[in-house]
């Protein structure tokens, strides 16, 4: 494979790819957490999660367009800052709420059904969401930047030759506190305790008086919230949305969750970052289309040598 | 108490078996020797580690420490020459595949095939020419080719070894070695018929080929008929004749347990492990079951039994081992065990907890 | 003799219908004849997936990839720009076996892992196959595809005796060829299901652990299911190439959506019941490919001038999705559930 390095610029490209990997990785991690949290509690691979992320991006676009039609042209500065804040407040709630709704309407009646049943339903939900997205934003890609320049293209800081762009900074500034917050939520709050107990043993948790359904709903909300957040920062960074973006990104995130050990929260973050780096460096040093193959190869090799993922623990079937 | 070492050779010989789950020691250095032709029972309060012991014996769990010997050796998938050859072939193929990817298969194809196509349609294509072009293409890119081949070969070889290593001591190897079992919480193939359940147990006796099965050749059909007749005999033996075509899940509870026994017997094991076969049965069914277990023993099977029903165990066992908190606290004839103060304490202790 | 079961009747009725169908005045009803052939090919594909998903209970999300591989192998073997130029029979067999081999290679590393991982691996594999088919354009033709596939039908038969080149690839000849192959696959898989192998596969689906404890090797059985399913899908792909006389654009014909649409057809008809699977394909694909066009045309004519929301084709995925959700909720065993034996 031919490296496509610019002449004499190898060092700078490396750092650029590193930053990009970190940023993409934290995005993948946010989405992967949604897979992992839900899987941890009800052992369901929520195939629709990636498409929820897509709807979040569509919401981001629509809200931005709405803001533009109210305020006129928006350029980076005070007004765009307010809009970004607004997006970060509204869209995650939209996605979280939608996720609760999906769970309530589709998955909840199937809690006692054989494993294949909710999985297939999740595929169905995925199709429904894609179709909603298609009707909502149409079939051709949309560019957010045509509507409004919410985040400037400038660099926030310059580290030697390497710039840290505002667009990347926004992702990191958003993601890091959220990760910390999530850790706090799971480790120290009542809800977090209930979530961990339910993940350990759903029936026992129920017998101990934990409102299991409430915990599951909260988990779906948190997963959706994170997907919504990812959708906002993704849209701000990439600037382009389309109704099929959920599939590809969902696949990356699902892979990240499995690589890290599905059901494991730090694992999802680790897997997401790892995948971000592979994605970024693979794309940078080879012809872009083979990145998927590279990621797939890493996944297969990992599953052979460490079937439970990097941080996953052995699950044992009850006999 | 006799220990394993003193016997000529026990059929099943469990030595210092320990199962640890995280910090919990479920089974602690248990020795157990089961002689041929006996009904051997394992009793103990709830959570004493009986089922865990069974799971370790049947390959569902890998023992943390200790050994399980069956007829004097460990049951594990042997490393045959065929497996080695197969692994080598797969690794070679994977290496070649990786190589073509590394030298860009697309370009290789273009050079060897597309550009060697004769100008005139009807002229023959020279495969020799194509091969030499391909060789040339590879020589030019020998470093990529080598990297790809060696990388693909090594990763696949290591992967195959890792997979093989993980599958060395699985349940099917143990079952084929001569140990069959039933489960505490009945695990029949619910949506298959009663007959099919037993036929699955007989799986190893079938010899039909893929083609024979797909085309229903006479040989395959005859085999089906003969083994179905055998299965019917087994079903009659355990007392559920005439319900061949019923789905397993539609059988009454007690009959499901009997079917599970028939299915395990169909494997023709030397050792039959019964995990609480009387659980959920009423007294009459339990008495019938005692008779059945005796008849199974008389048919030549050795039986290892886990049971709660004291009366059942005391009535039919040749030997009894008692587990408590994962450790064996007593072993002997039913009479010896019944009068052992440790056993009485263990069972009374159980009452206190509840 | 036991009376024929409900699904045998359903299967028989369907086959009888399919035999008669080409004799009807389809063109008058606005049904393009070659769509019927495609229906048969998709039925074969669905029967392949059914071995994996229905009989063995493995969630496989990349069946379309195998379909594409089979299609491509046949294309490579029969196109006139490459030296092989085999007849269809050979190309079909090589496609089926080659695809089965790919299925084996893909399944071997992951089958001892928990089931959800297979879904991910097959999902990813589906993506990779599309990439490979697109990128290796010297081999597969890439976006331009391999065109003009007109091989002879059988070995040792000159084209003259069989009529003009490509004649056998036209309707209704090719339709009946596909129907014959469908019948062979249908009966063959039925025999397999009732044999030792099929019992083993169902046992693994019902309870993998218990199956292992009975001496079955679950990993090997799952691998067989994957190979058989992939092989049948490869066969369908081979037919698809012959039907179109080219190897169709991979991104549209072999993508994830197709895998799930086939899956939806199986779910609708009844997991693991072959007659159900055929009915599922006929209903769902018949709706998607034939009925929805007719409805669309009349809708557009009636009122909604150009409004995209009033076009059924824009609600396609929603309909498939709702079929999946609704069936799982209210009738998880499908319209024609599998019957093993008779429950008294």
């Amino acid at each position: 494979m031919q490296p496509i390095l610019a002449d004499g610029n190898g060092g700078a490209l490396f750092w650029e790819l590193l930053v990009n990997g970190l940023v993409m990785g934290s995005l993948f991690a946010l989405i992967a957490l949604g897979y992992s949290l839900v899987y941890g509690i009800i052992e369901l691979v929520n195939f629709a999660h990636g498409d929820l992320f897509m709807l979040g991006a569509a919401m981001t676009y629509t809200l931005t367009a709405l803001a533009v039609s109210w305020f006129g042209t928006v350029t980076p500065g005070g007004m765009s800052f307010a809009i970004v804040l607004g997006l970060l407040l509204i869209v995650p709630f939209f996605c979280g709420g939608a996720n609760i709704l999906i769970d309530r309407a589709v998955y909840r009646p199937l809690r006692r059904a054989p494993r294949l049943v909710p999985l297939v339903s999740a595929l169905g939900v995925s199709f429904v969401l894609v179709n909603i997205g298609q009707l909502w934003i149409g079939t051709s890609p949309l560019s957010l930047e045509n509507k409004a320049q919410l985040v400037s293209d400038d660099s926030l800081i310059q580290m030697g030759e390497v710039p840290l762009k505002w667009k990347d900074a926004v992702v990191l500034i958003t993601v890091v506190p959220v990760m910390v917050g999530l850790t706090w939520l799971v480790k120290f709050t009542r809800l977090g305790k209930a979530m961990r107990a339910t993940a350990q043993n759903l029936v026992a948790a129920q017998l101990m008086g934990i409102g299991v359904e409430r915990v599951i709903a909260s988990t779906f909300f948190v997963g959706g919230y994170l997907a919504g957040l990812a959708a906002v920062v993704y849209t701000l960074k990439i600037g382009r949305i389309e109704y099929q973006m959920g599939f590809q990104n969902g696949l990356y995130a699902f892979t990240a969750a499995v690589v890290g050990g599905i059901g494991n929260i730090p694992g999802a973050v680790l897997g997401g970052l790892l995948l971000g780096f592979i994605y970024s460096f693979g794309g940078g040093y080879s012809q872009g289309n083979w990145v998927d193959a590279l990621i797939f190869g890493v996944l297969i090799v990992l599953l052979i040598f460490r079937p439970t993922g990097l941080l996953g623990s052995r699950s044992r079937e009850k006999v | 108490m006799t220990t394993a070492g003193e016997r000529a050779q026990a059929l099943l010989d469990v030595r210092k078996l320990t199962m640890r789950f995280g910090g919990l020691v479920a089974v602690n250095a248990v020795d157990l020797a089961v002689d041929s032709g006996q009904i051997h029972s394992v009793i103990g309060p709830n959570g004493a580690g009986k089922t865990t012991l069974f799971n370790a014996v049947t390959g569902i769990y890998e023992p943390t420490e200790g050994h399980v010997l069956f007829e004097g050796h460990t049951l594990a998938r042997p490393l045959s020459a065929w497996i080695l050859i197969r692994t080598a072939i797969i690794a070679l193929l994977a290496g070649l595949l990786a190589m073509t990817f590394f030298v860009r298969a697309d370009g290789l194809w273009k050079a060897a095939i597309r550009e060697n196509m004769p100008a005139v349609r009807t002229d023959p294509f020279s495969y020799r020419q194509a091969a030499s072009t391909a060789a040339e293409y590879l020589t030019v890119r020998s470093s990529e080719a080598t990297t790809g081949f060696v990388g693909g070969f090594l990763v696949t070889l290591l992967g195959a070894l890792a997979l093989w290593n993980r599958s060395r001591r699985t349940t099917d190897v143990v079952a084929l070695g001569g140990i069959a079992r039933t489960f505490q919480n009945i695990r029949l193939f619910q949506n298959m018929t009663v007959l099919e359940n037993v036929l699955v147990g007989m799986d190893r006796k079938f010899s039909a080929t893929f083609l024979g099965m797909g085309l229903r050749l006479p040989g395959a059909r005859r085999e089906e008929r003969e083994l179905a007749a055998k299965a019917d005999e087994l079903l009659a033996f355990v007392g559920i004749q005439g319900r061949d075509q019923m789905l397993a899940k539609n059988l009454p509870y007690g009959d499901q347990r009997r079917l599970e026994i028939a299915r395990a017997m169909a494997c023709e094991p030397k050792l039959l492990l019964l995990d609480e076969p009387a659980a959920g049965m009423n007294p009459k069914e339990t008495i019938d079951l005692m008779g059945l277990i005796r008849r199974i023993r008389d048919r030549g099977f050795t039986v290892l039994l886990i049971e709660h029903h004291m009366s059942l165990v005391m009535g039919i066992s040749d030997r009894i081992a008692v587990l408590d908190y994962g450790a064996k606290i007593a072993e002997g004839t039913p009479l010896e065990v019944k009068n052992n103060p440790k056993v009485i304490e263990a069972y009374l202790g159980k009452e206190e907890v509840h | 003799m036991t009376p024929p079961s409900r699904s045998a009747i359903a299967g028989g009725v369907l086959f009888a219908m399919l035999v008669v169908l080409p004799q009807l005045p389809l063109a008058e009803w606005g049904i393009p004849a070659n769509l019927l052939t495609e229906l048969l090919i998709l039925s074969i594909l669905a029967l392949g997936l059914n071995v994996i998903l229905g009989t063995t209970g493995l969630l496989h999300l990349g069946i379309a990839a195998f379909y594409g591989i089979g299609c491509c192998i046949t294309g490579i073997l029969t196109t006139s720009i490459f030296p092989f130029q085999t007849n269809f029979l050979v190309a079909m067999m090589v496609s089926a076996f080659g695809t089965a081999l790919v299925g084996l290679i893909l399944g071997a590393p992951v089958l001892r892992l928990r089931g959800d991982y297979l879904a991910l691996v097959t999902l990813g594999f589906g993506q990779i196959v599309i990439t490979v088919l697109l990128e290796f354009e010297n081999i597969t033709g890439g976006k331009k595809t391999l065109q003009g596939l007109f091989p002879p039908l059988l070995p040792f038969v000159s084209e003259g005796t069989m009529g003009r080149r490509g004649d056998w690839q036209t309707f209704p000849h090719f339709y009946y060829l596909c129907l014959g192959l469908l019948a062979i696959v249908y009966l063959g898989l039925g025999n397999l299901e009732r044999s030792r192998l099929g019992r083993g596969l169902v046992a693994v689906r019902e309870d993998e652990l218990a199956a292992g404890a009975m001496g079955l090797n679950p990993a090997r059985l799952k691998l067989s299911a994957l190979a058989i399913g992939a092989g049948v899908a490869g066969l369908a792909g081979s037919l698809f190439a012959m039907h179109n006389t080219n190897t169709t654009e991979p991104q549209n014909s072999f993508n994830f959506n197709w895998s799930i649409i086939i899956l939806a057809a199986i779910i609708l008809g009844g997991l693991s019941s072959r007659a159900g699977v055929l009915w599922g394909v006929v209903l769902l694909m018949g709706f998607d490919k034939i009925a929805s066009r007719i409805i669309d045309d009349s809708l557009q004519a009636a009122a909604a001038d150009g409004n995209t929301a009033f076009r059924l084709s824009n609600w396609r995925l929603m309909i498939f999705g709702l079929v999946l959700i609704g069936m799982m909720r209210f009738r998880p065993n499908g319209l024609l559930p599998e019957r093993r034996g008779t429950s008294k």
Side-chain angles (χ1 to χ4, degrees):
Chain A
M1 285 180 208
Q2 201 81 31
I4 49 159
L5 293 180
D7 284 335
N9 200 14
L13 177 64
F14 176 82
W15 287 107
E16 215 171 284
L17 292 177
L18 195 72
V19 171
N20 188 46
L22 189 66
V23 170
M24 290 313 287
S26 34
L27 281 174
F28 293 151
L30 275 187
I31 313 175
L33 279 168
Y35 282 103
S36 240
L37 285 170
V38 169
Y39 189 91
I41 290 208
I42 53 173
E43 300 221 330
L44 165 74
V45 179
N46 185 5
F47 291 105
H49 193 68
D51 304 304
L52 189 72
F53 163 78
M54 179 270 295
L55 287 188
M59 192 67 177
T60 307
Y61 181 86
T62 306
L63 287 179
T64 310
L66 210 62
V68 170
S69 70
W70 278 345
F71 305 123
T73 327
V74 178
T75 47
M79 180 56 84
S80 82
F81 184 72
I83 294 178
V84 169
L85 262 185
L87 289 173
L88 285 174
L89 281 176
I90 299 170
V91 176
F93 273 95
F94 163 71
C95 287
N99 220 13
I100 290 187
L101 257 173
I102 292 168
D103 173 53
R104 185 71 191 77
V106 181
Y107 304 140
R108 188 166 165 181
L110 306 174
R111 292 269 195 264
R112 283 167 205 287
R115 277 179 72 84
L116 208 55
V117 170
L119 280 173
V120 171
S121 299
L123 289 168
V125 174
S126 162
F127 263 35
V128 170
L129 296 189
V130 171
N131 206 147
I132 292 176
Q134 183 192 337
L135 293 169
W136 184 350
I137 59 177
T139 46
S140 42
L142 291 175
S143 165
L144 184 77
E145 268 143 31
N146 289 348
K147 284 280 168 206
Q149 180 93 24
L150 289 182
V151 183
S152 87
D153 273 329
D154 301 339
S155 301
L156 174 62
I157 35 173
Q158 193 82 17
M159 300 174 291
E161 267 187 79
V162 191
L164 177 64
K165 287 193 177 154
W166 263 108
K167 290 189 169 173
D168 296 331
V170 166
V171 178
L172 297 179
I173 293 169
T174 317
V175 171
V176 173
V178 166
M179 295 285 181
V180 174
L182 182 70
T183 314
W184 173 79
L185 173 85
V186 173
K187 278 233 151 89
F188 300 112
T189 61
R190 259 180 78 95
L191 176 66
K193 250 182 222 163
M195 280 165 76
R196 279 182 291 150
T198 314
Q200 282 276 317
N201 189 333
L202 197 140
V203 178
Q206 205 154 23
L207 293 177
M208 292 297 122
I210 294 175
V212 168
E213 280 307 332
R214 219 174 47 87
V215 172
I216 295 175
S218 315
T219 310
F220 269 92
F221 179 80
V222 173
Y225 185 90
L226 296 176
L229 210 62
V232 174
V233 286
Y234 177 95
T235 315
L236 291 179
K237 176 177 160 50
I238 308 284
R240 233 175 65 110
I241 63 165
E242 96 185 282
Y243 80 105
Q244 283 176 318
M245 67 194 265
F247 175 67
Q248 193 63 59
N249 289 295
L251 186 53
Y252 288 144
F254 183 13
T255 310
V258 169
V259 164
I262 196 160
N264 183 307
I265 294 175
V269 177
L270 182 68
L273 289 176
L274 188 69
L275 224 69
F277 288 125
I278 298 175
Y279 176 83
S280 172
F281 282 101
Y285 287 110
S286 76
Q287 278 88 348
N289 279 335
W290 291 104
V291 171
D292 286 0
L294 183 67
I295 289 176
F296 186 68
V298 170
L299 170 73
I300 297 276
V301 170
L302 184 107
L303 285 181
I304 292 174
F305 292 104
R306 240 194 114 72
T308 51
L310 293 172
L311 299 184
S313 55
R314 266 189 89 109
S315 73
R316 202 172 268 104
E317 197 176 353
K318 290 232 163 32
V319 184
Chain B
M1 237 192 279
T2 36
T3 60
E6 290 165 28
R7 291 159 188 264
Q9 190 191 62
L11 180 67
L12 176 74
D13 190 354
V14 176
R15 290 192 187 159
K16 293 256 168 287
L17 184 107
T18 300
M19 277 303 312
R20 251 182 244 120
F21 300 115
L24 176 81
V25 185
V27 176
N28 192 2
V30 167
D31 285 312
L32 185 73
V34 179
D35 284 335
S36 255
Q38 290 206 328
I39 296 176
H40 200 120
S41 297
V42 177
I43 61 171
N46 263 330
K50 303 181 301 284
T51 296
T52 308
L53 178 69
F54 260 34
N55 287 342
V57 168
T58 49
I60 292 171
Y61 297 158
E62 182 70 26
T64 320
E65 281 159 33
H67 302 280
V68 178
L69 300 180
F70 188 69
E71 297 182 308
H73 56 264
T74 309
L75 292 177
R77 212 179 289 276
L79 183 60
S80 63
W82 165 235
I83 292 179
L84 284 175
I85 294 170
R86 201 179 57 184
T87 311
I89 293 175
I90 293 173
L92 271 175
L93 286 175
L96 287 175
L97 195 72
M99 183 179 79
T100 53
F101 263 84
F102 267 61
V103 299
R104 299 199 54 93
D106 200 38
L108 178 63
W109 184 276
K110 188 178 176 197
I113 309 262
R114 284 219 171 198
E115 288 171 2
N116 280 327
M117 281 301 284
V120 183
R121 261 259 164 99
T122 47
D123 285 356
F125 178 84
S126 162
Y127 284 95
R128 186 181 298 244
Q129 175 69 28
S132 72
T133 321
E136 208 175 291
Y137 184 94
L138 288 179
T139 333
V140 177
R141 294 163 183 78
S142 59
S143 66
E144 287 103 323
T146 323
T147 321
F149 180 78
V150 173
F153 181 80
L154 282 183
V155 168
T156 313
L157 195 68
L158 289 176
L161 286 178
L163 288 179
W164 174 80
N165 187 41
R166 213 174 296 138
S167 70
R168 280 216 64 190
R169 203 172 164 279
T170 45
T171 46
D172 52 314
V173 182
V174 174
L176 291 178
I179 303 179
R181 69 172 293 173
T182 65
F183 295 88
Q184 189 177 345
N185 46 343
I186 308 180
R187 300 186 76 137
L188 287 168
F189 307 121
Q190 300 281 351
N191 290 309
M192 297 173 84
T193 65
V194 169
L195 178 67
E196 282 178 318
N197 265 279
V198 180
L199 286 177
V200 168
M202 289 182 173
D203 188 75
R204 70 196 71 181
K205 288 202 212 120
F206 286 84
S207 59
T209 59
F210 183 77
L211 216 59
M213 293 188 279
L215 300 177
R216 272 183 97 67
L217 298 179
R221 268 197 241 176
R222 179 157 23 87
E223 190 178 66
E224 286 275 334
R225 265 201 313 277
E226 283 168 10
L227 288 170
K230 262 198 181 153
D232 275 338
E233 189 269 324
L234 262 182
L235 285 170
F237 178 79
V238 299
I240 37 177
Q241 58 274 59
R243 278 172 284 179
D244 275 10
Q245 295 305 317
M246 221 165 140
L247 290 188
K249 64 178 174 192
N250 296 335
L251 280 180
Y253 185 82
D255 288 347
Q256 291 197 13
R257 287 223 173 268
R258 284 165 185 274
L259 176 56
E260 224 194 2
I261 293 175
R263 184 181 68 174
M265 286 173 72
C267 297
E268 297 200 344
K270 297 186 183 101
L271 177 65
L272 185 62
L273 270 56
L274 302 178
D275 197 345
E276 300 205 11
M281 285 189 173
N282 63 36
K284 169 164 188 314
E285 286 174 323
T286 308
I287 290 169
D288 289 348
L289 185 74
M290 280 171 73
L292 176 61
I293 294 175
R294 275 207 200 89
R295 280 188 290 130
I296 292 172
R297 193 246 334 254
D298 297 341
R299 227 174 129 135
F301 294 91
T302 307
V303 177
L304 179 59
L305 179 73
I306 290 181
E307 200 36 80
H308 264 339
H309 282 245
M310 275 308 212
S311 56
L312 183 124
V313 174
M314 293 298 165
I316 61 171
S317 303
D318 297 308
R319 254 187 116 62
I320 296 177
V322 188
L323 289 189
D324 191 26
Y325 291 110
K328 188 167 84 173
I329 55 169
E331 185 171 14
T333 63
L335 203 67
E336 286 167 3
V337 167
K338 203 187 289 182
N339 298 325
N340 188 320
K342 274 189 188 165
V343 178
I344 296 165
E345 191 191 309
Y347 269 80
L348 286 179
K350 181 194 160 205
E351 298 301 323
E352 273 173 10
V353 171
H354 274 261
Chain C
M1 279 303 281
T2 46
S5 69
R6 213 171 47 155
S7 68
I9 296 171
V13 168
L14 189 69
F15 270 104
M17 264 172 53
L18 290 174
V19 170
V20 178
L21 211 52
Q23 311 303 332
L24 304 175
L26 297 169
E28 283 172 30
W29 303 341
I31 301 173
N34 59 353
L35 283 182
L36 295 179
T37 316
E38 217 172 310
L39 220 59
L40 296 184
I41 297 173
L42 289 175
S43 302
I44 297 180
L45 178 62
L47 284 177
L49 178 58
N50 183 44
V51 176
I52 302 172
L53 179 77
T55 313
T56 322
L58 303 172
L59 187 55
H60 190 298
L61 303 179
I63 198 69
F66 293 112
Y67 190 47
I69 293 173
C71 184
C72 241
I73 294 179
T74 297
I76 292 168
L77 288 178
T78 57
T79 177
S80 58
I81 61 166
F82 294 146
F84 316 108
Q85 298 175 17
T86 63
N87 55 66
F88 168 66
L89 188 68
V90 170
M92 183 186 83
M93 306 244 273
V94 174
S95 301
F97 281 107
T99 316
L101 191 69
V102 176
L104 276 180
I105 294 170
L106 179 70
V110 289
L111 279 184
R112 282 194 188 277
L113 305 177
R114 62 176 109 155
D116 306 318
Y117 290 177
L118 187 74
L120 173 61
V121 168
T122 51
L123 198 65
F125 180 71
Q127 285 303 96
I128 306 306
V129 166
I130 292 178
T131 308
V132 169
L133 293 185
L134 281 176
E135 289 289 311
F136 285 174
E137 53 187 6
N138 281 308
I139 307 178
T140 64
K143 266 200 162 63
K144 282 175 288 180
T145 76
L146 297 171
Q147 305 278 346
L149 309 176
F150 295 107
L153 177 61
L154 297 167
F156 312 119
V157 179
S158 66
E159 278 167 10
T161 55
M162 295 286 298
R164 273 182 304 115
R165 210 163 81 99
D167 248 8
W168 64 271
Q169 281 161 278
T170 55
F171 190 84
H173 308 110
F174 195 62
Y175 177 90
Y176 283 114
L177 177 71
C178 289
L179 188 59
L181 283 171
L182 175 63
I184 291 172
V185 169
Y186 184 88
L187 295 174
L189 290 180
N191 287 341
L192 276 185
E193 254 167 45
R194 274 175 289 137
S195 71
R196 168 205 189 187
L197 180 65
R199 271 196 301 272
L201 299 182
V202 178
V204 168
R205 177 190 76 196
E206 292 288 309
D207 191 331
E208 185 172 338
L209 195 117
M214 295 302 116
L216 308 186
N217 184 339
R220 181 177 294 172
L221 283 167
K222 286 195 230 168
L223 215 51
S224 324
L226 219 54
I228 295 172
V232 173
L235 171 76
S238 178
L239 289 172
F240 192 53
M242 291 296 98
H243 174 58
N244 295 314
T245 68
N246 66 50
T247 55
T248 53
E249 217 271 307
Q251 243 168 337
N252 296 327
S253 305
F254 311 130
N255 61 18
F256 170 72
N257 284 1
W258 271 111
S259 297
I260 305 306
I261 290 169
I262 296 297
L263 189 143
I266 294 181
I267 300 276
L268 176 68
L271 273 173
S272 163
S273 130
R274 282 164 307 122
V277 168
L278 287 197
W279 272 107
V281 173
V282 167
L283 289 178
L284 207 60
M285 295 294 116
F287 167 76
D288 182 45
K289 294 213 173 267
I290 300 167
S292 78
R293 285 176 197 217
I294 298 172
I295 297 173
D296 254 7
D297 288 346
S298 51
L299 263 181
Q300 289 298 317
D305 31 20
N307 189 341
T308 48
F310 284 101
R311 201 167 287 164
L312 212 55
S313 46
N314 283 330
W315 295 84
R316 219 172 139 237
L317 294 183
M318 178 90 71
I319 291 165
F320 291 130
L322 289 176
V323 164
L324 283 175
I325 297 171
M327 291 305 289
M328 285 293 104
R329 176 85 173 82
F330 299 109
R331 220 185 142 99
N333 292 325
L335 298 176
L336 265 176
E338 174 200 30
R339 282 283 160 86
R340 294 191 85 88
T342 47
S343 42
K344 287 164 200 168

